[in-house]
Amino acid sequence: MEEVKEKVAVRTAIKANSSLGTLFTSDSVHSSSMTRYVTLLFAVACGMSVANIYFAQPILDNLSSEFGIDHSTIGILITITQIFYAVGLLMLVPLGDLLNQRRLIIGQMLLSMIALVIVGTASSSTVLFAGMALVGLLAVVTQTLVAFAATMAAPAERGRVVGMITSGIVIGILLARSISGILTDLAGWRSVYLVSAALMFFMVCALFRVLPNVERKGKLLSYPQLLRSVLMLLVKERILRIRAILALLIFSAFSILWTPLVLPLSAPPLSLSHTAIGAFGLVGVVGALAAARAGKLADRGYGQRTTGIALILLLISWLLISRTEQSLFALVIGIVLLDLAVQAVHVTNQSMIFSLHAEARSRLAAGYMVFYSIGSAAGSIASTHIYAHYGWNGVCLLGASVSALALLFWAMTYRDRAAALK
């Protein structure tokens, strides 16, 4: 099959390329299959870590009142968190290819726990902003966990493992807002971060028991060389570039839906309550769970076909989402299809890029996720601007256009790869 031939060709080319440095290849870690318990533990840890970034979104009014921050300014808190998350992707995630991953993961999660306590006990806006910056920076432990899981898993099950963990990440993102709102109603906004800190401590204890302790051997890169090699991977590895661009496009579409969705739902004629609006996040979980199977298909060599089908579903989803004001049922089906499609492509992307270079998986994750972040930010900014000028129909047209562009890009690069293999 084309995908199998392509992987073989890529691996052969990479083995001949020594410019990325010689690191200990820790594929030997997976002497046996990664158990479902450990995979589930990784999924929960990743979901908890990434949720810390999104807890603040539904409680911005509370934070504004507590610290006397103007409503026009409080949104910067979210921006700062996302900016430091992007910084962490570039500066911290590549360390997984240089340092002992067990110590790195445990250390980052302990520091993340401290950052959550700082936010939960903040007495001034300065401390709050500093704490949220640290929360965003350290939340990238999620990607270190994903890369380590890809190393621990046997090659034949890597897609399944990555798929399950990615589902955990998406569920963490989608449920973060609901959990934050519930805890705030029950015990105040500070309880959100203090409870999360306590749960992170228990997760650290669990991971400490199951993570293998793998020491690096051979010639190690310096930190500056490590960071430069992320760029080198993007320049030299065509599959990484293609999959990174697909990530940018699909997560632009994801943000185009979720960022402004509250606006038409809360406005007439729908005028839904915040509780009802938050429930749509639970709908997205259905699609995220269904997408876990995409990893299994990638393991069997159907990565390209899975991507194409998912992108077609992504485009179709916007037809249903555009009928939001006429039918909430159509919106529900559209959300399920969109989340299913986005996560199916995301899982397939990661499964394919993690097969490229065993000793560079953390750097592969860093390079790939930077495009993810750019796409998410671009989609959020563009969708709110479009909604202000053209309403929900304009947002849906934008989302459909980005989705169509992703499908076209996949088709063009698919033909190029097929021609190259002849």
Side-chain angles (χ1 to χ4, degrees):
M1 297 185 67
E2 290 177 357
E3 289 87 352
V4 175
K5 292 179 181 178
E6 184 175 312
K7 288 182 180 180
V8 172
V10 171
R11 286 173 179 169
T12 302
I14 293 174
K15 285 179 180 178
N17 179 7
S18 61
S19 60
L20 295 176
T22 304
L23 295 178
F24 170 64
T25 302
S26 52
D27 271 357
S28 58
V29 172
H30 55 65
S31 55
S32 60
S33 295
M34 191 168 169
T35 66
R36 288 189 176 275
Y37 166 75
V38 175
T39 304
L40 180 61
L41 189 64
F42 270 62
V44 174
C46 287
M48 287 173 51
S49 297
V50 77
N52 292 329
I53 304 175
Y54 296 92
F55 283 146
Q57 291 185 356
I59 59 173
L60 288 178
D61 282 345
N62 303 74
L63 297 175
S64 176
S65 301
E66 176 88 13
F67 295 98
I69 304 172
D70 190 84
H71 280 81
S72 62
T73 307
I74 191 64
I76 296 176
L77 189 68
I78 305 298
T79 304
I80 288 175
T81 308
Q82 293 291 347
I83 288 174
F84 274 83
Y85 183 79
V87 171
L89 288 173
L90 287 173
M91 306 300 290
L92 297 182
V93 174
L95 287 172
D97 292 332
L98 183 64
L99 304 178
N100 179 296
Q101 287 172 296
R102 182 172 183 261
R103 291 199 206 96
L104 180 63
I105 290 169
I106 296 300
Q108 284 185 323
M109 292 190 75
L110 286 174
L111 290 174
S112 183
M113 183 183 72
I114 294 172
L116 290 167
V117 171
I118 290 174
V119 173
T121 58
S123 58
S124 67
S125 59
T126 301
V127 176
L128 175 70
F129 277 76
M132 289 301 298
L134 287 174
V135 167
L137 181 71
L138 295 164
V140 297
V141 69
T142 299
Q143 300 310 317
T144 306
L145 280 162
V146 173
F148 197 24
T151 296
M152 290 176 64
E157 65 174 12
R158 186 172 293 132
R160 176 189 67 80
V161 170
V162 171
M164 183 177 291
I165 294 173
T166 300
S167 293
I169 294 172
V170 178
I171 291 170
I173 294 172
L174 294 174
L175 294 185
R177 299 171 182 87
S178 299
I179 293 171
S180 178
I182 292 171
L183 286 176
T184 299
D185 289 340
L186 291 175
W189 72 266
R190 294 180 185 274
S191 68
V192 176
Y193 293 95
L194 296 178
V195 168
S196 181
L199 293 176
M200 289 288 281
F201 175 76
F202 288 114
M203 184 54 63
V204 166
C205 294
L207 289 175
F208 186 80
R209 296 182 62 184
V210 303
L211 293 179
N213 191 29
V214 182
E215 295 294 342
R216 298 293 179 179
K217 298 178 181 178
K219 178 184 177 182
L220 297 178
L221 298 173
S222 67
Y223 184 60
Q225 289 174 325
L226 190 76
L227 298 183
R228 283 197 298 270
S229 68
V230 175
L231 179 60
M232 290 172 59
L233 282 166
L234 285 166
V235 170
K236 294 184 177 182
E237 305 307 335
R238 189 166 181 272
I239 290 179
L240 177 58
R241 292 198 303 274
I242 289 171
R243 291 286 150 174
I245 292 172
L246 281 174
L248 185 151
L249 293 171
I250 63 171
F251 281 104
S252 290
F254 185 83
S255 291
I256 287 169
L257 168 67
W258 285 106
T259 301
L261 182 59
V262 64
L263 301 176
L265 292 180
S266 59
L270 297 175
S271 302
L272 299 181
S273 66
H274 287 292
T275 301
I277 293 171
F280 282 93
L282 301 177
V283 173
V285 171
V286 176
L289 288 173
R293 183 169 175 77
K296 296 181 180 179
L297 294 173
D299 288 336
R300 297 174 185 173
Y302 296 109
Q304 293 290 3
R305 190 177 303 176
T306 301
T307 300
I309 294 172
L311 291 174
I312 291 172
L313 291 177
L314 180 62
L315 185 58
I316 292 173
S317 71
W318 286 105
L319 179 62
L320 296 166
I321 292 168
S322 67
R323 296 184 53 79
T324 294
E325 294 182 354
Q326 290 77 38
S327 171
L328 288 178
F329 179 73
L331 173 63
V332 167
I333 301 302
I335 287 175
V336 171
L337 287 179
L338 183 139
D339 277 9
L340 168 63
V342 168
Q343 298 314 316
V345 177
H346 184 42
V347 169
T348 304
N349 285 349
Q350 292 181 97
S351 179
M352 293 178 72
I353 67 172
F354 284 144
S355 68
L356 292 178
H357 213 315
E359 64 267 31
R361 286 191 179 124
S362 291
R363 284 170 285 170
L364 289 167
Y368 172 80
M369 289 301 296
V370 166
F371 283 78
Y372 161 103
S373 295
I374 293 172
S376 295
S380 295
I381 294 170
S383 61
T384 51
H385 178 77
I386 291 294
Y387 185 85
H389 291 84
Y390 303 102
W392 187 243
N393 286 334
V395 170
C396 292
L397 181 59
L398 175 64
S401 299
V402 172
S403 302
L405 180 60
L407 181 60
L408 178 63
F409 177 76
W410 168 83
M412 291 174 61
T413 54
Y414 183 89
R415 286 197 297 270
D416 287 347
R417 287 193 294 274
L421 291 170
K422 291 181 179 178

